[in-house]
Amino acid sequence: MDILFVLAGLVAGLMVVAWSCARSYFERGRRHGVEEAMREMARGVSSHCALEGGTVPASVEKAMAAVKALGTRGRFARGRSSTDPYHAQLWVLGDAIGEACWLKGHAAGVRRKAPAEGKIRVDLSVNELLQLGWLAHLGFQHMMPNYRGFESYRFGGEREALEGARAISKIEAAVPVQERPVADLAAPFKGRQKLICDWWQVTPDRLMA
């Protein structure tokens, strides 16, 4: 009977040892897996950030260091409802990597949208482009000494004239201050507005020329 108790104790001890060894191997394998994933992520983030001469952001390096530090502390005692330390630090790392990628992509998009050096970009609607193209064509014709056209072109109404005036004002405002032929942009703007008001608002029933 004593032999049975001894054998049962040995079996129980062997099971405890086996469970402890299995748990230790699991923790070591998990730690090695996290470390290998960290190395892969570090290489990916470094290559992504170094495409245009950049460096790994400090927030990402700090988060990586925090995850690596967990591997040197051994096992963590945690309750059933507490958060796994690895999970918490990996969430922080993922947030830092996502923010770094977003900032890099946003900056690249801003650079692509920016005009080339020495160029000026103006935002115009389709109607404004059509108005400017037609006005520029008429202006070019009347600036040529050999132009002998007798046809006359007029705006179709007050709204069309206002759209043309606004489009011209946008072009004038886009010219750098030191390059503007007129220092006060309000003067030509008021002149165009006065022509429109004198024709359509003062005498609205006047026939169009």
Side-chain angles (χ1 to χ4, degrees), residues 69-92:
L70 292 176
T72 62
R73 299 178 186 174
R75 292 171 55 185
F76 293 89
R78 61 187 182 93
R80 293 182 179 180
S81 60
S82 62
T83 303
D84 191 310
Y86 275 113
H87 292 172
Q89 290 299 330
L90 288 174
W91 291 336
V92 175

Side-chain angles (χ1 to χ4, degrees), residues 123-136 155 159-168 170-171:
D123 295 327
L124 299 171
S125 66
V126 175
N127 287 337
E128 290 171 338
L129 284 173
L130 292 173
Q131 292 283 357
L132 286 175
W134 186 241
L135 291 172
F155 288 112
R159 181 178 178 181
E160 187 176 335
L162 289 173
E163 290 177 353
R166 282 194 294 267
I168 295 173
K170 284 188 176 182
I171 297 298

Side-chain angles (χ1 to χ4, degrees), residues 30-177:
R30 184 188 187 199
R31 189 161 54 246
H32 288 312
V34 171
E35 291 174 356
E36 183 178 357
M38 287 291 302
R39 288 193 294 270
E40 292 295 329
M41 285 190 291
R43 281 196 291 267
V45 172
S46 299
S47 61
H48 176 72
C49 293
L51 288 177
E52 298 178 358
T55 58
V56 179
S59 59
V60 177
E61 291 182 344
K62 182 179 179 181
M64 285 183 175
V67 176
K68 290 179 181 178
L70 292 176
T72 62
R73 299 178 186 174
R75 292 171 55 185
F76 293 89
R78 61 187 182 93
R80 293 182 179 180
S81 60
S82 62
T83 303
D84 191 310
Y86 275 113
H87 292 172
Q89 290 299 330
L90 288 174
W91 291 336
V92 175
L93 175 61
D95 181 69
I97 293 176
E99 183 180 5
C101 293
W102 185 88
L103 290 174
K104 184 176 177 64
H106 181 264
V110 170
R111 288 194 299 271
R112 289 193 183 97
K113 287 183 178 181
E117 186 177 357
K119 304 294 183 181
I120 297 175
R121 181 168 297 172
V122 183
D123 295 327
L124 299 171
S125 66
V126 175
N127 287 337
E128 290 171 338
L129 284 173
L130 292 173
Q131 292 283 357
L132 286 175
W134 186 241
L135 291 172
H137 173 68
L138 293 177
F140 177 82
Q141 287 181 330
H142 288 282
M143 288 293 291
M144 291 298 296
N146 58 347
Y147 176 64
R148 296 295 183 268
F150 294 98
E151 69 276 13
S152 60
Y153 300 96
R154 298 289 185 268
F155 288 112
E158 181 182 4
R159 181 178 178 181
E160 187 176 335
L162 289 173
E163 290 177 353
R166 282 194 294 267
I168 295 173
S169 297
K170 284 188 176 182
I171 297 298
E172 291 174 340
V175 178
V177 177

